[in-house]
Amino acid sequence: MEPLVGNVNIDLWNEDRPIPRDELLSRLSDKDALICLLNEKMDKEAIDSGSDLKVIANYAVGYDNIDVDHATEKGIVVLNTPGVLTNATADLAFSLLLAAARRIGESERYVREGKFKTWGPKLMLGKDVWGSTLGVIGAGKIGSAVLRRGKGFGMKLLYHSRSRNMELEDEIGAEYVSMEELLKRSDFVSLNCPLTAETKHLIGRAELKMMKNDAILINTARGPVVDEKELFNALSNGDILSAGLDVFEEEPDIYQPLMDLDNVVMVPHIGSSTTVTRTRMALMVTEGVLKVLEGNIPGNIVNPDVIERR
Ligand code: DGY
C-alpha cells in the first residue's frame, strides 16, 4: 500500500474472502485504476462497469481472469507481475515434485497419526528423482526455471512449448519434443503453460493414458489445464503414480474424490507465496498503476497494443 498512500484515493476491499461480484461492479464505477487478484473475473461486464478505468493491475503473472482483448479495445492498460515470482514458483513446483516422489504428505500424516512404530525396508517406498526424466510443458520463465532445477538433480530434460527455446537448449541441454513424446518418456511432467482456450484440459484422459504408469504430474500453472475428474480416474486406476497440485479447476473448491487419495499432494495455490516475492509483486502492481496514472507506460504491460489506441 505504501507507494499508493498520499498519491491516490484508495478504496480497499480488506476482507479475507473475494469481493462479491456486485460489490466489485458497483465500486468500480468511479475508479481510474484497479489492483485485483486472480479471484476477480474481469470479463466484459466487469470491465465495462468501470467507465473511468485506465489500468487494471493483476497481482499475479497469469492473467486468464482478465478479458485482455476487451480491455485493449477500451484503451485500458493491463499489468501483471512477470519475472519477480519465477524462482519462488519453480521452487514450489520442485517441492511438489519431491513431495510426491518421496510421499512426504502421506509420511507426515503417518507420523502425526502415531503410526510410526518401527523402521521397515518397505516403509513409504517412493520414486527416484536423481537421474530420472523431467518433462516440462511450457518453457517460459517458470518452466525454464523448473528445468534448471531438474539439471541440478541430474535429470534428463525434455520440454514442449509453443516455440523452441534455443537459449535453454544451449544452456542446460534440454531437448525439444512433441507433447506426445514428452508424455510417453517423462517420469515427471510439470505443467508451466498459461491457461488459454488452447490449454484448457490440455491434460485429459488420452494424455494421462500416454504417461508412464509410474509417472508423476505436477501442476503449478492453472487448474483448468488438467481435467480434474480424469486425473482422479488416472490416479485411482494406476494409470499414473501420483500428482502434486498447487492449482485446481474450481478454486477454492476441490473435486472431492481427490481428497480421499493418498497419492496426491495438494497445496492452496501458494506458488509465489514467499514474503520477498509477494512484496515484489505488490511493488510491481502499485508502482505500475502510479506510472500509468501519471501518463507513463511501465515495463510489466500485458497489452502494449493499447498504447496506439490511447
Ligand atoms: C500467478 O502469479 O499467476 C500465480 O498463480 C499466483 O501468484
Side-chain angles (χ1 to χ4, degrees):
M1 296 290 286
E2 269 170 35
L4 300 176
V5 174
N7 285 313
V8 287
N9 296 319
I10 301 167
D11 181 0
L12 176 67
W13 175 258
N14 204 14
E15 291 188 31
D16 207 8
R17 65 184 172 105
I19 185 168
R21 172 91 178 166
D22 51 355
E23 180 97 20
L24 171 70
L25 265 52
S26 72
R27 280 163 76 165
L28 264 181
S29 62
D30 59 349
K31 301 297 183 304
D32 297 295
L34 170 72
I35 295 177
C36 61
L37 308 183
L38 46 80
N39 302 322
E40 276 76 62
K41 197 164 174 46
M42 292 305 295
D43 53 13
K44 283 197 175 73
E45 183 192 30
I47 292 173
D48 289 345
S49 69
S51 46
D52 296 336
L53 264 185
K54 294 161 188 64
V55 50
I56 300 171
N58 209 35
Y59 184 70
V61 69
Y63 47 84
D64 48 278
N65 54 317
I66 301 176
D67 185 338
V68 176
D69 289 342
H70 189 62
T72 308
E73 266 168 38
K74 300 203 70 172
I76 298 170
V77 173
V78 178
L79 306 178
N80 69 340
T81 62
V84 291
L85 49 71
T86 302
N87 285 312
T89 309
D91 284 345
L92 197 270
F94 230 83
S95 308
L96 287 172
L97 184 155
L98 292 168
R102 300 306 303 272
R103 301 170 66 179
I104 300 297
E106 214 181 328
S107 294
E108 223 238 354
R109 289 192 290 279
Y110 184 85
V111 171
R112 286 183 190 274
E113 286 162 15
K115 293 182 179 161
F116 182 29
K117 303 291 185 211
T118 180
W119 185 89
K122 290 189 177 176
L123 182 60
M124 293 290 167
L125 291 177
K127 181 179 170 67
D128 281 321
V129 173
W130 182 266
S132 63
T133 299
L134 170 65
V136 166
I137 298 179
K141 287 192 177 72
I142 298 172
S144 303
V146 172
L147 283 162
R148 284 190 193 97
R149 281 154 181 73
K151 174 128 177 115
F153 277 77
M155 297 171 99
K156 177 153 187 47
L157 308 174
L158 308 178
Y159 77 99
H160 181 75
S161 230
R162 270 174 307 189
S163 50
R164 278 183 76 165
N165 185 335
M166 300 312 287
E167 254 175 57
L168 190 70
E169 292 186 26
D170 292 345
E171 182 195 332
I172 53 171
E175 184 187 346
Y176 179 83
V177 291
S178 67
M179 260 275 285
E180 188 171 334
E181 188 173 345
L182 184 143
L183 294 170
K184 287 184 173 158
R185 285 176 55 194
S186 299
D187 297 301
F188 297 90
V189 173
S190 174
L191 303 176
N192 298 102
C193 53
L195 173 63
T196 62
E198 291 76 44
T199 61
K200 179 155 193 237
H201 285 184
L202 184 72
I203 302 296
R205 181 186 214 140
E207 293 71 25
L208 289 158
K209 292 262 183 224
M210 278 180 210
M211 290 171 68
K212 297 181 185 179
N213 290 344
D214 65 345
I216 294 181
L217 180 72
I218 306 300
N219 190 6
T220 54
R222 283 290 181 270
V225 174
V226 177
D227 183 330
E228 234 163 60
K229 291 197 180 75
E230 291 299 344
L231 176 62
F232 168 76
N233 292 337
L235 288 167
S236 39
N237 297 338
D239 291 340
I240 65 170
L241 181 67
S242 63
L245 306 176
D246 181 39
V247 289
F248 302 89
E249 270 204 83
E250 303 285 346
E251 287 173 22
D253 297 331
I254 293 180
Y255 181 55
Q256 275 304 308
L258 278 177
M259 295 286 204
D260 297 325
L261 294 182
D262 259 332
N263 57 341
V264 52
V265 184
M266 298 185 276
V267 294
H269 203 152
I270 54 169
S272 61
S273 189
T274 71
T275 308
V276 168
T277 298
R278 288 280 164 90
T279 305
R280 287 188 183 140
M281 290 164 67
L283 287 173
M284 205 163 191
V285 290
T286 50
E287 287 168 0
V289 159
L290 291 177
K291 274 198 183 140
V292 176
L293 295 180
E294 284 157 5
N296 300 316
I297 297 297
N300 52 326
I301 183 166
V302 168
N303 55 345
D305 292 354
V306 77
I307 298 164
E308 286 149 34
R309 294 181 176 264
R310 303 182 95 217

